[in-house]
Amino acid sequence: MSESRPVQDWKTDFDVLDSQYIADPFSIWDELRGSCPIAHTDRRGSTWLPTTYEDVTKIAHDIERFSSTEISVIPFEGVVPEDPVLLYGVPPISADPPLHTWTRRLLLPWFSHKNVDAYEEMTRELCKSLIKSFIESGRADAAADYAQQIPVRVIAHILGVPSEMADTFTEWVRDVLEFADDPERRMKGIEGLIIFFIEELEKRQSNPGTDLLSVLLQSEVEGEVIDARIALGTAALVLIAGVDTTWSAIGSSLWHLATHPDDRKRMVQDKEVWPLAIEELLRAYSPVTMARVVTEDTEYEGCPMKKGDKVLMNFPAANRDPKVFENPDQVILDRAKNRHVAFGSGIHRCAGSNLARMELRVALEEWLSAIPDFSIEEGKELTWAGGQVRGPRQLPVIFK
Amino acid sequence: MRIKIDPDKCQGHARCYALAPELFSVDDYGYSSVIGDGEVPKELEEKAKLAIDNCPEFAISEVE
Ligand code: HEM
Ligand code: SF4
């Protein structure tokens, strides 16, 4: 584990893994926006933290000075092997153009509206069967028993890998993202994912199917079959990007509905509000922060950034910027002006955003139709994870 | 009212299509274009404004 010194000064020594930041990052961003909109720290390497919508979106578009080749919010402290099987990283997310451009195009059609519609039915059945398993008991852990169980199975289905391995996949993804500051756990997750996908890809070399893994392997770009290491990196990315993120969004939304009865009632009664409400929940509880690495010594808005510095793409803070969103800390289900960047901004816009939205909507629809009235169970532990992906990990609720 | 999309700005967030499928069509890669010449029927003007106000890339605008 890295430093856990409590933070005294958020402007010059912030720590995104500080318990205060995980519990309530919102008031910290507010304070920073008013005093030092781009904060800095030397914990885990020299790192900058923009907190305004303008800075976050400008940096996201400035791909010359801010590269995606290092996207981890928590830098990796283990030893990187000499001839890495992940030579190309996990494209497109860890790539700049030109590699980014064509690897992203390989992926996008899989998550088009049309394709996502085809996964809705299985997602709905999955949600129904999860609810059935706990509804009689009158209580549930809405994060662990529900939210966490959904995206991983949908992604497994799309990739064409066994959904019975869902718990193992979840474990690996949490090792990589949630426990990133523990080098051993992080390495365990990376190795687990790599070894698993190498085997799955080998099976498909000789016996290809129609799943995403098979199709990736056979993809041709400019007349040549792509390097298998690219297929490996992209496959691992889809699993890593598609699990924690969406589960956190579902969990945070259920937390909001458990603690805000008026919003809950409105969503139960008013179908019309849903398209805007889903976006509003994504805005207010944006789970994902990414990183960029500075490519050359540069001054950005008065900040002396050095080559190799990290910048945290604080999409969640951008979405709470009062200059862009009226009453940003209030959830307004029918907010009509909502240019939120929960799915990023610029060329790395989340490739899975259509899928994520569908999963969030269906998970909430099924929950609210079976359990329209629920609240937090007092006296039980409620925990949040933070860092790269923020969301509830234990969310005990009771209902009649 | 007439609207257009700047294809250099659109990144395929698909917010426009979700809010006003009558006015926009998206391709397999998620990128959006206006249907027809972008002329908005009176009864869809509210929806068109909603789409403009929700595009995170500021890619949709009204043609003066
Ligand atoms: C609510 C759930 C989700 C949120 C909030 C989210 C958020 C994000 C964000 C902010 C980025 C931009 C990263 C950057 O700028 O560096 C991103 C990229 C990406 N996401 Fe998601 N994501 C979600 C769900 C998913 C799902 C379900 C998938 C499934 C395939 C997915 C796949 C990807 C991929 C492949 C990229 C990389 C795109 C690129 O670099 O061109 N995400 N996501
Ligand atoms: S909302 Fe904007 S960026 Fe997204 S598809 Fe529509 S025009 Fe493109």
Side-chain angles (χ1 to χ4, degrees), chain A residues 60 68 71 90-95 100 104 107-108 111 151 155 158 212 234 237-250 282 286-292 313 315 341-345 347-353 355-357 359-360:
Chain A
S68 281
I71 39 163
V90 285
I93 209 165
S94 64
H100 170 264
R104 179 176 169 87
L107 219 43
L108 283 174
F111 304 103
I155 286 287
I158 296 172
L212 176 52
T234 302
L237 168 63
V238 170
L239 190 62
I240 297 171
V243 172
D244 246 37
T245 50
T246 317
W247 142 36
S248 296
I250 298 170
L282 282 163
S286 298
V288 179
T289 303
M290 297 298 296
R292 297 289 186 268
M313 301 309 296
F315 300 118
V341 287
F343 292 113
S345 175
I347 63 167
H348 289 278
R349 186 271 303 168
C350 178
S353 58
L355 179 66
R357 287 198 169 95
E359 292 181 47
L360 176 58

Side-chain angles (χ1 to χ4, degrees), chain A residues 24 46 48 58 71 104 126 210 221 233 241 275 295 342 352 363 394 399:
Chain A
D24 176 21
S46 176
W48 303 88
K58 254 164 77 182
I71 39 163
R104 179 176 169 87
L126 175 60
T210 54
V221 173
T295 56
Q394 286 170 290
F399 39 85

Side-chain angles (χ1 to χ4, degrees), chain A residues 53 61 104-105 108-109 112-114 275-276 279 336-341 343-347 349 353-354 357, chain B residues 9 11-15 17-19 26-31 49-60:
Chain A
Y53 188 93
H61 282 84
R104 179 176 169 87
R105 281 186 79 82
L108 283 174
S112 68
H113 269 283
K114 227 175 18 215
L276 293 177
E279 301 301 330
K337 275 196 179 175
N338 190 355
R339 300 179 196 265
H340 76 77
V341 287
F343 292 113
S345 175
I347 63 167
R349 186 271 303 168
S353 58
N354 293 326
R357 287 198 169 95
Chain B
K9 286 190 177 164
Q11 295 290 353
H13 290 254
R15 297 284 307 279
Y17 178 74
L19 291 167
V26 283
D27 66 16
D28 278 352
Y29 299 91
Y31 299 101
K49 288 198 186 110
L50 205 56
I52 293 174
D53 285 345
N54 281 275
C55 171
E57 305 288 347
F58 295 81
I60 315 170

